């Protein structure tokens, strides 16, 4: 096993989880954080600049798996359960993106409500399926065991925590007269969600030690170390509210989840032949610094509160004469 291909895949998957947690988690919490039309516009505007950039990391990771680790595809999609999870995940991905892209294309309340439902439903589908994928991989390809479901609950709570910490910053209104209820509610939720993620993670850890609950860990001591990192990150914010600490700890916890899977299992990570390695490396490696710089620049440019207008929230202009 060559180290560089494994590191490349790890960086891409960790980057996706950390970055996508913001927009997926905020979409999941939309019914709680955005109850008025202005708040819903602001929430969509907060998600819009990020979701396309984060998906680049996932697409690159899929390309690396397909090109450099062909045997890994059998583990990820092995059995009917895992295949079904990733199929539903792809459907949720399309549904979430369709809701975002189509929302401002028709200027009717019913249309916007349908697109908002697609955004929320797709976000929840993505988070639940990623949780089931994590739990299924740690259960030998069986995503519906008690241990796998506990892992899924922990991952879903981490996505929500990441979205709430993100929303507490981005949903602050730009004008002094606008309501900051969404941002305030997101800040309050961070403590509850941190405790929920901590509780679900501890339950998964207990079930991992109980026979016949589904845990199938090839390297349990490595799994214990990675799980301790996740629990320590969320435990640090379980007693405080607001985004100042949880935006960092939620990123650490979500980023540690794929590391937990990779260290707990004995995965077939022997890379493809050297020619394929050079070809895929030449296509992906030069882009990785650009992706990192682009994400950092995007975050710095958009740290200010999200506006309630833009391409994804403003209806198309009415042609003259109509």
């Amino acid at each position: 096993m060559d180290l560089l291909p494994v590191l490349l895949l790890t960086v891409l998957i960790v980057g996706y989880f950390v970055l996508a947690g913001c927009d997926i988690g905020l979409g999941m919490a939309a019914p709680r954080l955005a109850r008025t039309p202005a708040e819903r516009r602001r929430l969509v505007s907060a998600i819009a600049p990020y979701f396309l950039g984060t998906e680049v990391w996932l697409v690159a990771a899929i390309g690396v798996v397909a090109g450099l680790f062909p045997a890994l595809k059998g583990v990820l999609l092995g059995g009917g359960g895992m295949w079904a999870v990733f199929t539903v995940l792809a459907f949720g991905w399309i549904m979430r993106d369709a809701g975002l892209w189509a929302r401002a294309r028709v200027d009717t309340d019913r249309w916007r409500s349908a697109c908002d439902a697609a955004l929320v439903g797709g976000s929840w589908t993505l988070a639940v399926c990623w949780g089931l994928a994590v739990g299924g991989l740690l259960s030998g390809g069986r995503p519906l065991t008690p241990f796998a479901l506990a892992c899924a609950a922990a991952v879903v709570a981490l996505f929500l925590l990441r979205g709430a910490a993100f929303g507490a910053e981005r949903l602050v209104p730009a004008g002094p007269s606008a309501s900051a209820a969404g941002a305030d509610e997101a800040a309050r939720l961070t403590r509850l969600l941190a405790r929920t993620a901590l509780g679900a993670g501890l339950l998964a850890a207990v079930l991992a030690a109980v026979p016949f609950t589904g845990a199938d860990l090839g390297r349990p001591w490595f799994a214990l170390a990675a799980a301790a990192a996740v629990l320590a990150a969320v435990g640090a914010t379980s007693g405080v509210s607001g985004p100042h600490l949880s935006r960092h700890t939620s990123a650490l916890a979500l980023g540690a989840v794929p590391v937990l899977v990779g260290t707990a299992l004995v995965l077939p990570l022997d890379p493809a032949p050297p020619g394929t390695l050079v070809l895929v490396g030449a296509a992906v490696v030069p882009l990785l610094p650009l992706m990192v710089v682009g994400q950092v620049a995007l975050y710095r440019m958009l740290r200010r509160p999200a506006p309630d207008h833009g391409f994804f929230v403003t209806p198309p202009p009415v042609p003259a004469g109509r």
Side-chain angles (χ1 to χ4, degrees):
M1 179 183 68
D2 293 335
L3 182 60
L4 288 179
V6 174
L7 287 177
L8 175 61
L9 180 60
T10 302
V11 168
L12 291 172
I13 296 177
V14 169
Y16 170 75
F17 266 70
V18 171
L19 296 169
C22 296
D23 52 83
I24 293 175
L26 191 54
M28 296 166 69
R32 181 76 175 265
L33 304 182
R35 301 181 180 182
T36 67
E39 290 174 345
R40 286 191 287 271
R41 288 196 301 270
R42 192 178 303 122
L43 184 139
V44 172
S45 183
I47 292 174
Y50 289 91
F51 80 99
L52 288 176
T54 58
E55 289 172 353
V56 172
W57 294 76
L58 179 58
V59 172
I62 293 172
V64 169
V65 170
L68 299 185
F69 302 103
L72 185 57
K73 293 183 290 184
V75 175
L76 295 175
L77 302 176
M82 296 300 293
W83 177 266
V85 167
F86 282 105
T87 300
V88 176
L89 187 149
F91 173 76
W93 184 359
I94 294 171
M95 180 168 63
R96 193 279 300 265
D97 285 17
L100 285 168
W101 280 106
R103 190 182 191 277
R105 310 283 69 83
V106 179
D107 188 15
T108 66
D109 292 338
R110 182 173 296 180
W111 177 263
R112 283 190 287 270
S113 296
C115 291
D116 290 341
L119 166 62
V120 176
S123 298
W124 274 95
T125 301
L126 280 169
V128 171
C129 286
W130 279 123
L132 290 174
V134 169
L137 288 171
L138 295 175
S139 298
R142 298 167 295 166
L144 297 180
T145 65
F147 172 71
L149 293 176
C151 291
V155 172
V156 169
L158 287 176
F159 271 106
L160 277 168
L161 174 61
R162 185 80 174 127
F166 177 67
E169 294 182 310
R170 288 283 284 158
L171 297 182
V172 176
S177 60
S179 172
D184 293 340
E185 181 65 17
R188 285 191 293 268
L189 281 175
T190 56
R191 178 167 59 179
L192 173 62
L193 292 172
R195 291 177 175 178
T196 303
L198 180 61
L202 289 173
L203 175 61
V206 170
L207 291 177
V210 177
F212 310 113
T213 58
D216 187 7
L217 307 177
R219 292 181 289 197
W221 292 110
F222 286 94
L224 179 62
V230 176
L231 296 176
V234 293
T237 52
S238 61
V240 296
S241 298
H244 302 296
L245 184 59
S246 59
R247 66 180 177 181
H248 303 299
T249 56
S250 62
L252 289 172
L254 262 181
V257 168
V259 175
L260 166 62
V261 175
T263 55
L265 304 179
V266 181
L267 298 173
L269 294 177
D270 295 326
T276 306
L277 179 61
V278 172
L279 180 62
V280 176
V284 176
V285 172
L287 296 178
L288 188 59
L290 297 178
M291 292 164 59
V292 174
V293 171
Q295 288 290 342
V296 172
L298 180 67
Y299 180 78
R300 290 181 65 87
M301 287 188 297
L302 299 174
R303 289 187 67 179
R304 63 181 64 89
D308 59 357
H309 61 277
F311 176 82
F312 288 91
V313 292
T314 302
V318 179
R322 290 194 178 183

